[in-house]
Amino acid sequence: MKKLIALLLLLGSFSTTCWCSTSHVVTGAEQTHLYFPLLKGKKIVLFSNHTGMVGNQHLLDIMVNYRMKVIGVISPEHGFRGTADAGEHVTNSVDAQTGVPIYSLYNGKKGKASLQVLKSADILVVDIQDVGLRFYTYYISMLKLMDACAEVKTPVLVLDRPNPNGFYVDGPILDMKYKSGVGALPIPIVHGMTLGELARMINGEGWLSNHRQCKLTVIPCKNYTHQTRYELPITPSPNLPNMQAVYLYPSTCFFEGTNVSLGRGTSKPFQQYGHPDMIGYGYSFMPQSVAGAKNPPQLGRTCHGVDLSNADTELIQRRGIDLSYVINAYRNLNIGSKFFTPFFEKLAGVGYIREMIMNGCNADTIKAKWQKDVEQFKLQRRPYLLYQE
């Protein structure tokens, strides 16, 4: 009886606890009364990382404490504890705290999720915090897992979490000839959807291999809409350390496709940009080798440029994707096509952005070119939305 009372008290605390400034929002993972019954007696594989928290406990710890049959954890880019570099190969291991095996998504052959562990499971549980961008890879990991689950007929349960960039849609739809590890679906750069909504769209639009569908259940958030400004309680990855970085990410990530530093290897990643040869700036920084950015661009070199860490957050939110930063650096360096790398098109998802920048177009002119994409996508996604726009 004491154990039962303790369990009821614990479950009650999960449903009322939210570690974010928008305290009225209740994540899917917190609503244990809705999905614990679905997991009873089943062999579970959990797709999560350090963001999969319920109150002050990780969902894996809670499952293990209540003797659920967790046969494995699958970790995405940055690893289960979130400390690996972007794109760094994360190997299989064992979680030291629980003894549960951790399987790297990247150990699957040909970029596919390993089928063996999913085939032996009764259900895959997805609980991870996304930031709502096409080049942020957690949704691609979910896509691969959904594809594998559809193949081996393992059901998928998504415990939904809010999208901190869910209040707008912006950017061109990916031209699939530029499909890559940072862009896997024909969606805009800022799609404005939660992972639960995106999973529904993946199923509904036939985006899995051979137009298959997986058996999908989503536990939605409570008290959340697409106009909610949700502040993340935990940093989602090493180089997005605060909300300023999360809001600037759609704009400053374009620098990953250039030879300009966006601050990896400093205390302000994605919140500044600079290059050793940029002139006319009084601000400078020097990238160093640090956890999560072991070999950042312009390592050990003094970069001159712009600090955006104290820029007006509301203005950043209103502007959405802002190419003026990249255009500013391009014109300052004045090195023509050498400014860009082939990775730029993978991030942009289209070929015309580089061309328009080189032809002297301003940010507003370029942005106007993708507005039809935005409106088209808003209509296309509507049947899959779980929350009010």
Side-chain angles (χ1 to χ4, degrees):
M1 178 60 71
K2 289 182 179 179
K3 287 185 177 180
L4 178 59
I5 293 172
L7 174 59
L8 291 172
L9 287 172
L10 188 57
L11 293 182
S13 70
F14 293 164
S15 64
T16 57
T17 303
C18 184
W19 285 42
C20 60
S21 65
T22 45
S23 58
H24 64 290
V25 174
V26 182
T27 66
E30 291 175 281
Q31 301 172 71
T32 51
H33 62 288
L34 295 180
Y35 67 91
F36 268 23
L38 305 178
L39 303 178
K40 185 177 180 181
K42 293 185 177 179
K43 291 181 289 184
I44 303 163
V45 171
L46 175 65
F47 172 57
S48 189
N49 65 358
H50 64 289
T51 64
M53 299 294 289
V54 182
N56 60 356
Q57 289 185 282
H58 196 282
L59 180 59
L60 174 63
D61 300 328
I62 295 166
M63 289 179 166
V64 171
N65 287 343
Y66 286 94
R67 301 185 184 279
M68 292 186 178
K69 298 178 182 178
V70 185
I71 64 171
V73 170
I74 295 179
S75 66
E77 184 177 21
H78 303 300
F80 185 59
R81 297 301 174 186
T83 56
D85 279 4
E88 182 179 352
H89 185 83
V90 182
T91 58
N92 293 346
S93 60
V94 174
D95 181 53
Q97 189 164 332
T98 62
V100 174
I102 299 175
Y103 301 95
S104 169
L105 185 75
Y106 293 95
N107 280 7
K109 293 181 180 179
K110 297 181 181 178
K112 292 179 64 176
S114 176
L115 297 181
Q116 185 176 355
V117 64
L118 294 171
K119 194 171 184 178
S120 61
D122 296 318
I123 192 167
L124 170 71
V125 177
V126 176
D127 182 35
I128 195 166
Q129 180 63 62
D130 191 55
V131 299
L133 273 69
R134 190 182 66 220
F135 37 61
Y136 198 68
T137 60
Y138 293 170
Y139 83 92
I140 301 178
S141 300
M142 182 182 72
L143 172 70
K144 291 178 180 178
L145 291 169
M146 288 177 65
D147 201 50
C149 285
E151 184 173 340
V152 300
K153 296 180 169 46
T154 298
V156 176
L157 172 66
V158 177
L159 306 178
D160 214 10
R161 290 180 179 268
N163 177 356
N165 283 308
F167 51 90
Y168 72 109
V169 177
D170 204 359
I173 292 175
L174 174 68
D175 182 336
M176 292 300 277
K177 75 179 183 182
Y178 296 116
K179 181 180 177 181
S180 71
V182 291
L185 294 175
I187 58 178
I189 291 171
V190 183
H191 53 73
M193 302 175 78
T194 66
L195 283 184
E197 292 173 322
L198 194 52
R200 284 160 52 90
M201 191 171 189
I202 288 168
N203 250 1
E205 294 295 309
W207 286 340
L208 297 179
S209 298
N210 302 316
H211 301 286
R212 291 182 299 229
Q213 290 191 349
C214 67
K215 185 178 180 182
L216 176 67
T217 302
V218 178
I219 304 297
C221 304
K222 290 176 63 177
N223 307 321
Y224 172 73
T225 77
H226 283 283
Q227 294 309 309
T228 302
R229 298 301 195 268
Y230 182 79
E231 294 194 13
L232 301 179
I234 299 170
T235 56
S237 52
N239 288 292
L240 293 177
N242 52 45
M243 292 307 299
Q244 187 80 335
V246 170
Y247 294 138
L248 283 165
Y249 183 39
S251 303
T252 54
C253 191
F254 283 99
F255 284 114
E256 301 270 45
T258 74
N259 56 14
V260 174
S261 169
L262 49 70
R264 286 187 185 271
T266 75
S267 61
K268 300 175 182 178
F270 292 94
Q271 301 163 76
Q272 57 186 350
Y273 63 91
H275 186 276
D277 297 331
M278 285 175 63
I279 59 174
Y281 299 99
Y283 178 77
S284 62
F285 60 91
M286 181 183 293
Q288 303 287 344
S289 181
V290 298
K294 296 183 179 66
N295 188 31
Q298 306 299 340
L299 174 64
R301 303 182 70 192
T302 299
C303 297
H304 312 288
V306 178
D307 180 10
L308 299 169
S309 62
N310 294 312
D312 185 273
T313 301
E314 290 187 6
L315 183 60
I316 292 169
Q317 291 177 348
R318 286 199 303 273
R319 285 179 174 172
I321 294 177
D322 188 350
L323 289 173
S324 65
Y325 310 134
V326 171
I327 292 171
N328 172 273
Y330 171 80
R331 293 176 179 173
N332 186 285
L333 284 172
N334 195 28
I335 54 176
S337 61
K338 293 180 180 179
F339 178 83
F340 300 96
T341 73
F343 196 59
F344 188 86
E345 274 69 34
K346 293 181 179 180
L347 294 169
V350 291
Y352 65 76
I353 294 180
R354 180 204 293 235
E355 293 174 3
M356 292 182 76
I357 290 173
M358 293 182 67
N359 287 334
C361 296
N362 62 31
D364 290 339
T365 300
I366 300 172
K367 189 163 185 166
K369 191 171 176 63
W370 67 60
Q371 289 312 302
K372 287 184 179 179
D373 282 2
V374 169
E375 297 309 315
Q376 173 188 330
F377 181 75
K378 284 182 177 180
L379 291 174
Q380 185 184 10
R381 73 173 189 163
R382 189 160 292 165
Y384 310 108
L385 296 183
L386 294 166
Y387 314 100
Q388 183 180 347
E389 291 186 78

